[in-house]
Amino acid sequence: MKRQKRFEELEKRPIHEDGFIKEWPDEGLVAMMGPNDPKPSIKIENGVVTELDGKKRADFDLIDLYIAKYGIKLENAEKVMAMDSTQIAHMLVDPNVSRKNIIAITTAMTPAKAEEVISKLNFGEMIMATQKMRPRRTPATQSHVTNIRDNPVLIAADAADAALRGFPEQETTTAVARYAPLNAISLMVGAQTGRPGVLTQCSVEEATELNLGMRGFTGYAETISVYGTDRVFTDGDDTPWSKGFLASCYASRGLKMRFTSGSGSEAMMGYTEGKSMLYLEARCIFITKTSGVQGLQNGGVSCIGIPGAVPSGIRSVMGENLLCMMLDLECASGNDQAFSHSDMRRTERLLGQFIAGTDYVSSGYSSTPNYDNTFAGSNTDAMDYDDYYIMERDLMINGGIHPVSEEEVIKGRNKAARALQAVFDELGLPKITDEEVEAATYANTSKDMPERNMVEDMKAAQELLDRGVTAVDIIKALYTRGFKDVAEAVLNLQKQKVCGDFYKRLQSLIKTGTLFQQSTTQMIIKVRVPDTGWTKIRKNGNALRTFRLPLILEI
């Protein structure tokens, strides 16, 4: 058949390399409001949920039980469930209705009701609602800092580069799992060199990730995954309760943490129970809220190709971000996984969160070229910096990062590489040469770096763990070798982790009256907290005590 030439040329466009499928509800390949999704309902008897979204209590699975017991504000639930979903959707968009009033409604919903409300909004309305519902005062964005060789010198330099550009959180992972301790240390040292206070994490197997956090090598965790069906959740050794326990472990040492979910994960793992992606994601968001976790990374994330392949999928992903914020959770809203060959479609994926300004517009903007992104590539990478800055300029939007001068970046990268060189030398790790420092200062990708002996690095990483090295040793190494400002920045990170735990225990003791209880009428307790001065707390009794934090690290 003779072809029309314009159609022939159009077929060569990158968009035709993307995958698209028709809806298949029985396999969960439908974005939202699938024909098998339950109708919203709740019944409460004597303070116990006896029916949840059309399911009787005797038929509850583990997720239903978890949400019913801990995840819904029951005192307002029956009233909220009786409200018209379109009315609630209008309230989300209406600037005259406060966020506080909406939170009182949305935290008393069931997952099916939440899905129904979201389905009433078009994409533009979701953007308007997200602007109001974001928990953080100002938007931010998170970066990936990785390379395919796990080169620690380049990680440190790239971390400083990203910190200077304004990323408040940075995430690394490994190409080879045994590199995790070195990657975590390199990221922390580099980020604190670039800008003190940046939080860093190393995304690896959960036991290792927790170990790194306990040692002080990381400041937060994010890749604690939750799922929307029992079959997926319990496929390994996970349950909602085990994830809640893991969250408590991080919190017990002052580590910020988020759960991770996202549309398409259940379809990818083959157990959707015939439910739509948004309904299953609603269950994940309720699990997160139920577990007492402060935030969630969601928005398709690593499974973005699946919702991106079905009609209304990108709209549904924006909806799951909004729903996260409707439950008063900090939202790192995806935009991290590469999913399309089309530059126009990549921008489409970003635009809703970018215009609205979510808590973290991206939960993984690759601060390196995607060649080096071991998270399988990001929707945006270092080669998009200037385009991103111009988008911020054109629309007068704070997208979370800002331009920097070449001179400033060269200086920061060099200092970070030298600081890590000093740490490796002091800790007896494989030598970082001056040639590597110079290369990392000016490198674009790991192709520009001299090769390291990876076998020796991996041996050293294991020995470092065996020796019990912690952040205190990193601080001492930096201080000893003249990087006093970087040492202080790392030290301040560790201080912040213990402050919250100390305050909680102190408040608990005062509340119960067991702290230095005296027979006379007044007690004054002075609490010394680093960098914040003296705080007075009064209690019945007559005594004066001065408390130090349980862990004050002094060099």
Side-chain angles (χ1 to χ4, degrees):
M1 184 180 75
K2 187 174 181 179
R3 299 294 310 279
Q4 208 277 332
K5 294 186 182 298
R6 187 168 296 157
F7 276 85
E8 284 186 312
E9 290 304 309
L10 282 171
E11 287 177 3
K12 299 175 185 177
R13 298 287 293 173
I15 189 70
H16 288 282
E17 297 180 48
D18 289 0
F20 301 98
I21 57 176
K22 295 181 180 179
E23 290 182 344
W24 189 2
D26 289 346
E27 293 300 324
L29 295 175
V30 57
M32 64 172 73
M33 299 305 291
N36 302 321
D37 289 357
K39 302 300 180 186
S41 71
I42 195 167
K43 289 185 179 179
I44 304 168
E45 298 176 11
N46 299 319
V48 176
V49 176
T50 58
E51 180 183 311
L52 182 67
D53 291 336
K55 190 184 292 186
K56 301 298 183 184
R57 188 173 184 86
D59 299 321
F60 284 3
D61 60 21
L62 282 175
I63 295 173
D64 295 320
L65 285 168
Y66 197 61
I67 293 172
K69 187 169 184 180
Y70 303 111
I72 301 169
K73 292 187 176 179
L74 299 183
E75 62 273 14
N76 204 30
E78 291 177 327
K79 177 182 176 182
V80 168
M81 293 296 289
M83 292 177 66
D84 179 62
S85 294
T86 302
Q87 177 192 355
I88 299 173
H90 287 166
M91 294 172 70
L92 283 164
V93 177
D94 188 347
N96 297 304
V97 180
S98 72
R99 181 182 188 274
K100 180 180 178 181
N101 289 342
I102 294 174
I103 290 293
I105 293 170
T106 52
T107 52
M109 292 178 176
T110 67
K113 182 70 168 180
E115 180 198 18
E116 188 174 84
V117 170
I118 293 293
S119 74
K120 305 297 182 183
L121 301 168
N122 65 33
F123 195 75
E125 291 166 337
M126 289 180 187
I127 292 174
M128 294 174 67
T130 296
Q131 284 186 304
K132 177 163 63 178
M133 299 310 295
R134 179 185 70 236
R136 284 175 62 100
R137 183 178 61 186
T138 54
T141 196
Q142 179 189 155
S143 67
H144 285 164
V145 185
T146 66
N147 63 74
I148 61 173
R149 297 183 184 178
D150 288 327
N151 187 296
V153 199
L154 185 57
I155 286 177
D158 282 332
D161 187 325
L164 289 167
R165 294 178 190 271
F167 291 101
E169 292 186 354
Q170 298 184 14
E171 177 184 21
T172 193
T173 189
T174 61
V176 180
R178 290 174 62 189
Y179 254 98
L182 299 187
N183 287 16
I185 292 169
S186 303
L187 187 68
M188 178 176 67
V189 170
Q192 297 314 305
T193 303
R195 182 165 57 89
V198 173
L199 296 181
T200 59
Q201 69 157 317
C202 184
S203 174
V204 285
E205 179 272 327
E206 286 178 350
T208 302
E209 189 169 342
L210 183 61
N211 187 354
L212 297 175
M214 294 295 181
R215 291 170 182 266
F217 297 161
T218 59
Y220 76 110
E222 182 178 64
T223 48
I224 292 85
S225 300
V226 292
Y227 305 98
T229 65
D230 262 12
R231 288 290 298 275
V232 174
F233 217 146
T234 58
D235 190 32
D237 58 358
D238 285 328
T239 70
W241 281 268
S242 70
K243 292 293 187 176
F245 178 78
L246 182 59
S248 299
C249 292
Y250 281 105
S252 73
R253 293 298 179 269
L255 285 142
K256 177 182 178 180
M257 64 89 60
R258 288 188 286 264
F259 279 171
T260 292
S261 59
S263 289
S265 61
E266 298 85 8
M268 180 176 285
M269 298 175 75
Y271 298 116
T272 65
E273 299 176 358
K275 305 300 192 299
S276 75
M277 298 181 201
L278 184 58
Y279 170 70
L280 295 181
E281 178 58 20
R283 280 162 56 97
C284 294
I285 299 168
F286 273 79
I287 290 167
T288 304
K289 182 68 174 180
T290 298
S291 299
V293 178
Q294 64 87 41
L296 178 67
Q297 174 186 219
N298 79 343
V301 195
S302 298
C303 303
I304 184 63
I306 297 178
V310 301
S312 195
I314 298 303
R315 168 179 168 246
S316 179
V317 165
M318 183 72 189
E320 71 182 74
N321 293 151
L322 171 58
L323 179 52
C324 180
M325 297 173 229
M326 286 163 58
L327 291 193
D328 205 20
L329 295 168
E330 179 187 80
C331 179
S333 57
N335 285 306
D336 52 349
Q337 182 76 57
F339 88 109
S340 176
H341 296 85
S342 164
D343 286 341
M344 184 177 289
R345 197 164 182 237
R346 287 197 303 122
T347 305
E348 170 211 60
R349 165 70 186 95
L350 168 70
L351 210 56
Q353 293 81 3
F354 179 79
I355 292 174
T358 59
D359 298 305
Y360 291 89
V361 173
S362 172
S363 52
Y365 185 124
S366 182
S367 66
T368 66
N370 269 336
Y371 167 82
D372 266 326
N373 190 312
T374 51
F375 285 101
S378 177
N379 193 52
T380 47
D381 74 353
M383 297 298 97
D384 296 314
Y385 275 146
D386 290 347
D387 300 73
Y388 197 92
Y389 299 148
I390 295 300
M391 285 172 60
E392 290 179 303
R393 179 181 183 272
D394 287 344
L395 302 180
M396 287 301 288
I397 281 173
N398 176 8
I401 57 174
H402 54 75
V404 287
S405 69
E406 183 176 1
E407 181 183 5
E408 184 182 10
V409 166
I410 289 172
K411 182 179 178 182
R413 292 178 69 95
N414 182 261
K415 183 177 178 180
R418 288 187 292 107
L420 189 70
Q421 182 185 44
V423 170
F424 270 46
D425 193 37
E426 285 292 315
L427 296 181
L429 300 173
K431 183 178 178 62
I432 293 175
T433 65
D434 291 341
E435 180 189 7
E436 289 178 282
V437 170
E438 179 76 3
T441 301
Y442 297 96
N444 183 37
T445 73
S446 57
K447 295 177 182 178
D448 302 316
M449 295 296 297
E451 288 194 19
R452 288 181 62 82
N453 187 326
M454 295 182 69
V455 173
E456 291 303 312
D457 276 349
M458 285 186 281
K459 288 180 179 177
Q462 184 58 52
E463 290 169 359
L464 179 147
L465 296 179
D466 294 341
R467 283 188 281 150
V469 172
T470 70
V472 177
D473 301 291
I474 309 299
I475 295 164
K476 289 180 178 178
L478 289 164
Y479 190 89
T480 300
R481 296 295 291 268
F483 293 92
K484 295 184 179 180
D485 57 335
V486 185
E488 183 177 4
V490 177
L491 172 61
N492 285 336
L493 277 180
Q494 310 310 317
K495 288 180 180 179
Q496 293 303 314
K497 293 175 189 176
V498 296
C499 282
D501 183 55
F502 177 70
Y503 272 136
K504 285 180 182 178
R505 289 189 288 113
L506 180 60
Q507 289 169 353
S508 175
L509 288 169
I510 293 171
K511 186 176 180 180
T512 58
T514 59
L515 185 62
F516 298 107
Q517 187 69 42
Q518 303 291 321
S519 58
T520 48
T521 58
Q522 191 180 50
M523 171 192 281
I524 299 176
I525 303 167
K526 289 187 176 182
V527 184
R528 179 68 170 176
V529 180
D531 304 323
T532 62
W534 293 92
T535 301
K536 292 183 179 180
I537 301 175
R538 298 178 181 273
K539 173 68 182 174
N540 288 339
N542 185 21
L544 180 62
R545 295 290 186 271
T546 299
F547 294 87
R548 277 178 81 79
L549 286 172
L551 179 62
I552 295 294
L553 308 176
E554 295 183 356
I555 302 167

